[in-house]
Amino acid sequence: MKIIAIGHNYREHNKELDCENPEEPVVFLKPDTALLRNNKPFFIPDFTHELHYETELIVRINRLGKNIAPRFACRYYSEVGLGVDFTARDLQRELRAAGKPWELCKGFDGSAVVSEFVPLDRLGNVQQLSFRLDINGRTVQQGNTADMIFSVDELIAYVSRFFTLKIGDILFTGTPVGVGKVEIDDRLEGYIGNEKMFDFKVK
């Protein structure tokens, strides 16, 4: 099982990070040890002092595929969920400045929070889904998949040029504007529309 993640897929988020909008999807991977499921607590690692949340729609692949055409990509998923791509922002800045890869700041243990998956036919058009993150009862990040630079189907088609997609692979589709720092004892609750997808604490 692979965790495939997309960076810089929302224009307003790129502005807040002072990044240009990409001409092609920005792709990176997380190992399966990054998975955090079932509302288990997230423990802030000792190598960062600026741990950021990035709330994202996630998609679970349901068939084997390679070199998938965009018009057929919708056949490769039927469920979506909500995830958090935790990022050691201070470490990311150091790695970028040195021209090094992102894995250390993105792929550490527990850095990929994954909710339960919900049938898409219960939620509606995958490109018209609103989602949000509440911390300690206050909404801190919200977005809509309509604002993606690259749609879910475009992402699946692009990624499948390089990696064979397998059943159970998870695609993180990028985060909207509003990322920020988490602290010990924060409670994170994520929603797609009005449906709660996850609820866990930071330790």
Side-chain angles (χ1 to χ4, degrees):
M1 188 275 288
K2 299 184 291 298
I3 305 169
I4 304 161
I6 304 298
H8 306 310
N9 201 26
Y10 287 81
R11 290 178 176 83
E12 293 303 313
H13 172 59
N14 295 339
K15 288 181 183 178
E16 75 177 339
L17 292 185
D18 195 26
C19 294
E20 294 184 1
N21 295 323
E23 295 183 4
E24 293 185 332
V26 176
V27 180
F28 60 97
L29 300 178
K30 289 174 177 263
D32 58 5
T33 50
L35 278 177
L36 187 65
R37 299 179 184 267
N38 303 319
N39 294 316
K40 292 181 179 178
F42 172 80
F43 291 87
I44 296 178
D46 61 5
F47 51 77
T48 179
H49 301 289
E50 192 179 351
L51 198 285
H52 280 200
Y53 58 82
E54 297 186 11
T55 313
E56 312 191 11
L57 186 85
I58 57 176
V59 176
R60 182 161 60 187
I61 301 301
N62 63 8
R63 8 181 352 186
L64 185 72
K66 174 71 175 173
N67 290 320
I68 301 164
R71 66 184 183 276
F72 297 133
C74 62
R75 301 178 182 179
Y76 289 81
Y77 63 97
S78 59
E79 297 176 310
V80 299
L82 200 64
V84 178
D85 168 20
F86 276 121
T87 303
R89 192 71 70 198
D90 47 356
L91 182 56
Q92 185 182 46
R93 282 194 293 266
E94 293 175 15
L95 293 170
R96 277 181 172 167
K100 295 181 179 179
W102 289 5
E103 277 81 1
L104 294 181
C105 69
K106 288 280 195 178
F108 53 88
D109 291 355
S111 63
V113 176
V114 171
S115 74
E116 294 299 318
F117 286 86
V118 176
L120 193 53
D121 57 13
R122 194 166 101 197
L123 296 173
N125 187 333
V126 72
Q127 294 304 150
Q128 295 180 8
L129 297 179
S130 61
F131 57 95
R132 75 178 198 272
L133 175 68
D134 292 355
I135 297 183
N136 304 325
R138 181 174 66 88
T139 299
V140 296
Q141 188 179 25
Q142 51 192 337
N144 192 294
T145 56
D147 297 325
M148 288 179 176
I149 297 173
F150 304 103
S151 70
V152 171
D153 289 356
E154 289 172 327
L155 294 175
I156 287 173
Y158 183 83
V159 168
S160 72
R161 291 172 55 197
F162 304 93
F163 307 118
T164 297
L165 297 180
K166 294 186 175 182
I167 296 171
D169 285 351
I170 297 172
L171 175 67
F172 278 67
T173 60
T175 195
V177 68
V179 302
K181 190 176 179 181
V182 294
E183 306 282 358
I184 291 174
D185 293 328
D186 280 347
R187 179 183 179 187
L188 277 64
E189 299 170 276
Y191 296 82
I192 297 178
N194 293 318
E195 184 159 353
K196 183 182 283 192
M197 302 300 295
F198 59 70
D199 182 349
F200 66 95
K201 294 201 72 175
V202 175
K203 300 291 187 180

